Amino acid sequence: MYQLSVLGSSWQSIQHITFNIQNKMYRSHTCGELRITDAGKEVTLAGWVQTVRKFGAITFIDLRDRYGITQLLFGEDLNGQLEANPLGREFVLQAVGKVSERSNKNPNLSTGDVEIAVTSFKILNKSAVPPFTIQDDSDGGDDLRMKYRYLDLRRNAVKKNIELRYAVNRAARNYLHNNGFMDIETPFLIKSTPEGARDFVVPSRMNPGEFYALPQSPQTFKQLLMVSGYDRYYQIVKCFRDEDLRADRQPEFTQIDCEMAFVEQEDILNMFEGMVKAIFKDVKNISYAETVERMTWEEAMWNFGNDKPDIRFGIKIANLKSVFTRNGAITATGELINGADFKVFDEAETVLAIAVPGCSEYSRKQTDELTEWVKRPQVGMRGLVFIKYNTDGTLKSSVDKFYTEDKLKAIAGFANAKPGDLILVLAGTEDRTRKATSDLRMEMAERLGLRKKDEYKLLWVLDFPLFEYDEENNRWVARHHPFTSPKPDHINVMIDNNPVIENAAEYLKHPYAEIKANAYDMVLNGNEIGGGSIRIFQRDLQEKMFTALGMSDEEAVHKFGFLLGAFEYGAPPHGGIAFGFDRLCAILGGSESIRDFIAFPKNNSGRDVMMDSPSTIDDKQLTELQIKTDIRK
Ligand code: ASP
């Protein structure tokens, strides 16, 4: 019998599972396993040399493997051998000896009560001096760590992320398996049908001049599986998108991809809220008892300025535009507020405000600094107006010369502020102001410590617009993807109206702008972790959708003829969702970066610096593929 410590159901607690192994040649125990109750046992350990410490005639070595660290004690009798075979960091060592109680115990190590009094040892392999030390705080720097990722992965800090990833994977699989889902693989070499992101393409040697594409997601395959009757499908699967890598994106990433037949939106929401809760329970031991909150896309955009709001805290955005018009608005106390010849507000397309609790006493320096913050190019505003709603009920603002205190009070009312709040007001064009106010809301919450790491708040965002306007090509594009169904009572709006946009500047007035989709996103702490939709499953409606997206009938058949064909042979109603697996792991691991949770990630330019990929290929390969390139590196 052999004891191997493996990841338990809660990833923080490493559990021990006992099972038989054939090969006992190298070790009887792992380096994380021995306890004081093992004292007296003869054991053999194998692992990597973490540190060598010499005290006079005795040498201590910390031996490390995936499961932990055990201290080895080499007595005087082994000195000669050690001198003949000097040990260095990261040497692979096998040591035989007796477990004994340590005089100087280390409470920070699970094996810290014992050490091995070594009787013999063998160097299984030497190591070059590693470019950085294998410890929690790496001295490697990002580039070096990625170049030597196989060493970086030895570090505890990285290992625990990889363990967490596996725990999330297992929890998802268990849940889906227990609910009747089947893991069915779908191909990686598929047809290029770019919609949304760019495809990665792969030349076909056997079909010169032709290319496969790597899937951006298994979307059409999972729908075909529904047509085939596999009514609950899942896959934890690689997806490939050739996008310019914005912060923290990877060209290849992993999704928990799911599809169900004979379902409505409500079924999907229930099933997958269950999955995320099961993951919380298994991985973090968190019981997420409450039902997941729901919000329409419109509500999210109006109240929080974006479609993935962090609802761990309030600070809703108030739209003050109606207040600053010539006609003005009537306050709760009957007072009329209107334009005050403060052009910034009166002439702006929109005026938005947030009331930040407990900040009315911000100093001039602090408000100046906030003003600079919103003026940064990433936020892009021209300025910031603030109104301090003091705890004594008085008000002071940066626009005192335009508004009396009474009017400021009324504005504060419209902004849902209370004494003690600092009201921050931004004005400008609709999209930019909304985004900037949303960014400012997040920034203030961060500063106030309202984005707590150990608090998790899920949210469903529903009723997304079906279409988005593509300015560059003056046409409609699918906001989710072209297989998403419109809300049943919006189908006719799509069918009955010509998709052509006559006046690009007024695209919002086109009836398509109002059509909502049967689509939903799951949001966790301000991050979109999953998204999906109820699909179109009738050929004629799918054809109408392609037309709406500006595709000719020929093009639709060329790209998606297989799907249209399948819809003629009894396609059941179906819908699904896909979760961003890397992101979910990162959030549960309390990190901003998905790269930390991928064993071999690419850098921000999409390069694997360890393999030095992408790379040129030799002329023979190019000739076989019948590809000519003018670029020579
Ligand atoms: N395939 C979609 C995506 O990758 C998800 C879905 O609709 O199921 O975003």
Side-chain angles (χ1 to χ4, degrees):
M1 291 295 250
Y2 180 76
Q3 275 242 320
L4 179 63
S5 317
V6 298
L7 196 64
S9 58
S10 160
W11 73 282
Q12 294 100 331
S13 73
I14 301 286
Q15 292 181 350
H16 299 283
I17 292 182
T18 306
F19 57 92
N20 282 316
I21 59 158
Q22 300 298 321
N23 186 347
K24 287 190 188 174
M25 293 285 288
Y26 283 110
R27 54 187 180 182
S28 63
H29 294 78
T30 71
C31 297
E33 202 177 336
L34 296 165
R35 300 287 181 275
I36 192 76
T37 45
D38 296 304
K41 281 187 189 160
E42 284 289 338
V43 297
T44 309
L45 299 188
W48 287 263
V49 173
Q50 169 92 12
T51 52
V52 182
R53 299 185 308 277
K54 215 166 155 37
F55 290 102
I58 344 178
T59 304
F60 289 106
I61 285 180
D62 280 348
L63 196 66
R64 182 194 69 238
D65 67 8
R66 179 183 141 193
Y67 311 96
I69 288 179
T70 301
Q71 176 164 295
L72 309 179
L73 181 139
F74 293 69
E76 201 168 352
D77 50 322
L78 291 173
N79 265 345
Q81 275 187 60
L82 277 178
E83 261 155 40
N85 306 284
L87 295 172
R89 280 194 285 136
E90 302 309 312
F91 275 44
V92 188
L93 182 73
Q94 183 186 41
V96 179
K98 192 185 254 174
V99 182
S100 40
E101 183 168 0
R102 241 164 107 160
S103 54
N104 191 1
K105 299 198 169 60
N106 180 349
N108 299 323
L109 279 184
S110 56
T111 61
D113 287 351
V114 295
E115 64 193 1
I116 312 301
V118 177
T119 48
S120 67
F121 70 94
K122 188 172 164 190
I123 294 174
L124 298 176
N125 211 345
K126 290 184 177 175
S127 169
V129 176
F132 50 85
T133 41
I134 311 301
Q135 59 195 21
D136 279 6
D137 299 320
S138 151
D139 50 3
D142 238 26
D143 286 349
L144 210 54
R145 282 179 48 209
M146 288 306 140
K147 183 156 186 299
Y148 296 93
R149 183 62 165 171
Y150 47 89
L151 294 180
D152 194 38
L153 284 163
R154 286 184 191 166
R155 291 170 53 230
N156 233 344
V158 183
K159 192 183 71 196
K160 79 178 185 355
N161 294 344
I162 303 297
E163 287 178 341
L164 177 125
R165 185 180 175 100
Y166 177 53
V168 177
N169 182 314
R170 251 186 5 165
R173 281 187 193 284
N174 286 345
Y175 177 85
L176 292 167
H177 175 75
N178 291 337
N179 281 284
F181 285 79
M182 260 170 91
D183 177 346
I184 306 175
E185 287 156 84
T186 52
F188 276 177
L189 295 177
I190 68 163
K191 185 184 175 79
S192 180
T193 55
E195 267 295 315
R198 234 173 261 118
D199 283 337
F200 279 104
V201 292
V202 180
S204 164
R205 181 186 55 80
M206 286 192 285
N207 304 276
E210 295 187 313
F211 296 81
Y212 301 102
L214 301 179
Q216 297 190 19
S217 86
Q219 184 61 34
T220 48
F221 290 101
K222 64 176 174 173
Q223 291 192 242
L224 292 174
L225 286 169
M226 296 305 111
V227 180
S228 308
Y230 298 87
D231 61 356
R232 290 183 171 201
Y233 143 95
Y234 86 99
Q235 214 183 157
I236 299 187
V237 64
K238 274 283 164 76
C239 301
F240 307 87
R241 294 183 192 172
D242 186 5
E243 294 175 302
D244 294 332
L245 298 180
R246 280 191 270 131
D248 211 29
R249 288 267 180 107
Q250 288 278 306
E252 53 176 310
F253 59 95
T254 307
Q255 284 189 345
I256 310 175
D257 190 48
C258 310
E259 196 77 5
M260 299 170 83
F262 304 111
V263 285
E264 303 249 5
Q265 174 168 296
E266 195 60 33
D267 302 303
I268 303 260
L269 301 191
N270 289 331
M271 177 63 73
F272 291 99
E273 156 168 351
M275 183 185 83
V276 176
K277 287 178 179 179
I279 293 174
F280 276 153
K281 183 74 199 143
D282 279 13
V283 178
K284 306 281 295 183
N285 202 18
I286 291 173
S287 304
Y288 197 102
E290 72 246 54
T291 355
V292 173
E293 262 184 60
R294 296 178 184 193
M295 189 182 290
T296 64
W297 177 83
E298 297 270 355
E299 284 165 344
M301 294 306 284
W302 281 120
N303 293 330
F304 300 97
N306 77 60
D307 58 6
K308 43 179 187 333
D310 188 340
I311 55 163
R312 282 174 294 181
F313 55 95
I315 316 187
K316 284 190 185 170
I317 296 174
N319 186 348
L320 300 185
K321 182 57 206 167
S322 62
V323 178
F324 302 108
T325 57
R326 284 287 147 204
N327 293 335
I330 306 286
T331 68
T333 51
E335 197 189 347
L336 176 74
I337 298 273
N338 57 14
D341 290 330
F342 179 46
K343 288 203 168 62
V344 175
F345 285 175
D346 297 351
E347 291 172 5
E349 199 173 288
T350 197
V351 183
L352 301 177
I354 51 173
V356 187
C359 293
S360 63
E361 277 165 25
Y362 258 37
S363 65
R364 175 69 192 263
K365 190 162 164 243
Q366 283 171 301
T367 50
D368 281 353
E369 190 265 327
L370 273 183
T371 308
E372 287 315 308
W373 192 90
V374 301
K375 283 185 178 171
R376 293 173 325 143
Q378 301 96 301
V379 184
M381 298 307 290
R382 302 254 286 280
L384 175 70
V385 167
F386 57 86
I387 304 170
K388 293 175 178 175
Y389 196 167
N390 300 319
T391 40
D392 63 6
T394 59
L395 290 112
K396 190 98 196 79
S397 82
S398 55
V399 284
D400 278 355
K401 66 172 188 258
F402 298 99
Y403 301 101
T404 61
E405 197 168 343
D406 278 351
K407 286 201 170 174
L408 288 178
K409 195 164 213 154
I411 295 169
F414 282 114
N416 304 317
K418 31 179 208 342
D421 288 358
L422 174 68
I423 305 162
L424 301 173
V425 193
L426 289 169
T429 53
E430 180 91 36
D431 286 355
R432 179 176 292 187
T433 310
R434 219 184 239 192
K435 175 162 184 319
T437 316
S438 163
D439 290 351
L440 186 60
R441 172 180 177 267
M442 295 295 257
E443 174 67 18
M444 294 311 292
E446 191 69 50
R447 293 182 185 197
L448 294 174
L450 300 174
R451 304 191 68 197
K452 297 197 192 86
K453 269 217 158 135
D454 50 359
E455 191 187 348
Y456 296 96
K457 203 88 177 139
L458 291 163
L459 170 74
W460 284 114
V461 178
L462 309 172
D463 303 349
F464 279 81
L466 185 66
F467 297 113
E468 233 165 36
Y469 175 59
D470 169 3
E471 248 172 86
E472 209 175 301
N473 302 302
N474 188 32
R475 68 171 186 110
W476 297 103
V477 290
R479 198 189 158 93
H480 190 53
H481 53 53
F483 317 106
T484 295
S485 65
K487 289 265 168 224
D489 45 355
H490 291 189
I491 290 177
N492 284 340
V493 184
M494 181 174 104
I495 295 177
D496 297 343
N497 287 287
N498 184 341
V500 172
I501 307 150
E502 302 287 356
N503 181 355
E506 301 212 327
Y507 75 92
L508 275 174
K509 294 196 179 139
H510 190 287
Y512 273 27
E514 291 301 316
I515 303 181
K516 294 289 187 292
N518 258 331
Y520 31 79
D521 273 2
M522 188 180 250
V523 175
L524 173 58
N525 294 357
N527 302 278
E528 179 201 325
I529 56 164
S533 60
I534 297 297
R535 325 296 185 190
I536 297 170
F537 65 102
Q538 310 91 332
R539 177 172 182 140
D540 55 343
L541 187 56
Q542 186 64 68
E543 282 173 340
K544 298 230 161 69
M545 170 59 99
F546 290 144
T547 311
L549 298 173
M551 242 186 249
S552 68
D553 292 350
E554 297 73 46
E555 197 185 349
V557 168
H558 173 70
K559 285 184 171 168
F560 298 110
F562 62 99
L563 188 71
L564 294 171
F567 283 177
E568 289 191 58
Y569 293 94
H574 60 283
I577 190 164
F579 287 86
F581 181 58
D582 310 295
R583 168 90 43 226
L584 183 58
C585 294
I587 300 170
L588 294 177
S591 166
E592 299 277 305
S593 157
I594 64 171
R595 280 210 285 164
D596 295 348
F597 293 80
I598 298 173
F600 297 102
K602 310 255 184 299
N603 74 6
N604 283 343
S605 336
R607 297 199 69 84
D608 180 327
V609 289
M610 183 184 70
M611 303 185 97
D612 193 19
S613 150
S615 57
T616 51
I617 55 175
D618 61 36
D619 287 341
K620 182 161 173 284
Q621 285 172 295
L622 284 173
T623 312
E624 277 172 354
L625 294 167
Q626 304 199 30
I627 288 181
K628 280 207 184 89
T629 164
D630 294 333
I631 304 169
R632 279 272 156 246
K633 287 201 172 171

